[in-house]
DNA sequence: CAGTATCCTCCGCGATACTG
DNA sequence: CAGTATCGCGGAGGATACTG
């Protein structure tokens, strides 16, 4: 129904054997992934935009993050045949279905350190 | 207010510099962590119980997972001076505050593969 | 029962430099 | 602008064996 991954990444496959929450972590865990989704929930972004908003991510890492999210059916990559090159990243239906989840995790992470000293 | 970590693990510290969602991932990301929390939301568990319910986790890994969750203020470890030894793991207030999050992630992960082939 | 001790492998992620 | 190419390190997580 929603957008579906063509091939399944290893970590995701293995997670399915364990528990649904492990599937979520296999897809969304790892640095920069949820931050990227969070920005894409806001609006479509270009590669450089994402890089600047994320702050300290390297191009290589951001590329892999976006490729993973694309493989997992979260992100769609659109290339425009222009000069200079323009590539836009947006969310699939499945990606947009993360709206609530991202909201909760953002709120929980935001409240987290306040309980510490 | 809720239970607070005494010391802060490196990944969590670094995540704070980036985005609240990265904090959540720093605490909850990684294999077995959310599954463990999910079972502990159900009720208190002993070490061996958790190991059996998780299925294929090694003792070494489960120990580290539980120590991390303890350091991060999610889990409480209670040792009973008995023979044979008995150790029980339960959630802190902060850990219990993950109820909703775990529910969402479990539901999302459960629906995830159905959209694929 | 509830872990430790050792060892080892994979790969996530960063640093740096280069390109169509 | 939007990446790729190379290199390297640290740490997550498994395999196996042992212990208070």
């Amino acid at each position: 129904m929603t957008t579906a991954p063509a091939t399944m990444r290893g970590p995701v496959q293995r997670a399915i054997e364990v528990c649904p929450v492990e599937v979520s972590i296999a897809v969304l865990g790892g640095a920069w992934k949820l931050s990227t989704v969070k920005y894409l929930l806001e609006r479509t972004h270009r590669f450089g935009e994402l890089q600047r908003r994320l702050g300290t991510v390297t191009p290589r890492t951001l590329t892999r993050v976006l490729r993973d999210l694309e493989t997992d059916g979260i992100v769609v990559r659109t290339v425009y045949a222009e000069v200079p090159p323009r590539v836009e990243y947006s969310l699939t239906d499945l990606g947009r279905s993360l709206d609530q989840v991202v909201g909760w995790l953002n709120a929980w992470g935001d409240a987290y350190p306040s309980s510490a000293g």
Side-chain angles (χ1 to χ4, degrees), chain A:
Chain A
M1 204 51 146
T2 59
T3 307
T7 56
M8 197 99 94
R9 290 188 306 118
V12 180
Q13 291 229 354
R14 271 170 263 125
I16 290 177
E17 306 299 310
V18 178
C19 181
V21 293
E22 297 293 325
V23 174
S24 296
I25 290 302
V27 173
L28 307 173
W32 310 114
K33 285 200 175 170
L34 268 183
S35 304
T36 299
V37 170
K38 181 182 170 185
Y39 290 134
L40 293 181
L41 278 165
E42 220 175 89
R43 58 173 172 81
T44 294
H45 280 71
R46 299 179 61 171
F47 186 90
E49 277 181 319
L50 283 172
Q51 191 177 354
R52 261 175 277 112
R53 293 196 73 179
L54 290 170
T56 57
V57 71
T58 62
R60 162 166 171 63
T61 298
L62 181 54
T63 298
R64 193 181 35 71
V65 164
L66 287 167
R67 292 290 186 277
D68 280 359
L69 291 173
E70 197 185 355
T71 299
D72 293 344
I74 308 296
V75 155
V76 142
R77 180 173 177 266
T78 309
V79 184
Y80 296 89
E82 302 176 357
V83 179
R86 180 162 61 104
V87 178
E88 292 195 339
Y89 293 91
S90 54
L91 292 179
T92 62
D93 288 347
L94 185 60
R96 259 175 260 116
S97 77
L98 288 166
D99 196 5
Q100 300 262 21
V101 171
V102 170
W104 280 98
L105 288 175
N106 194 76
W108 192 87
D110 193 52
Y112 175 75
S114 71
S115 63

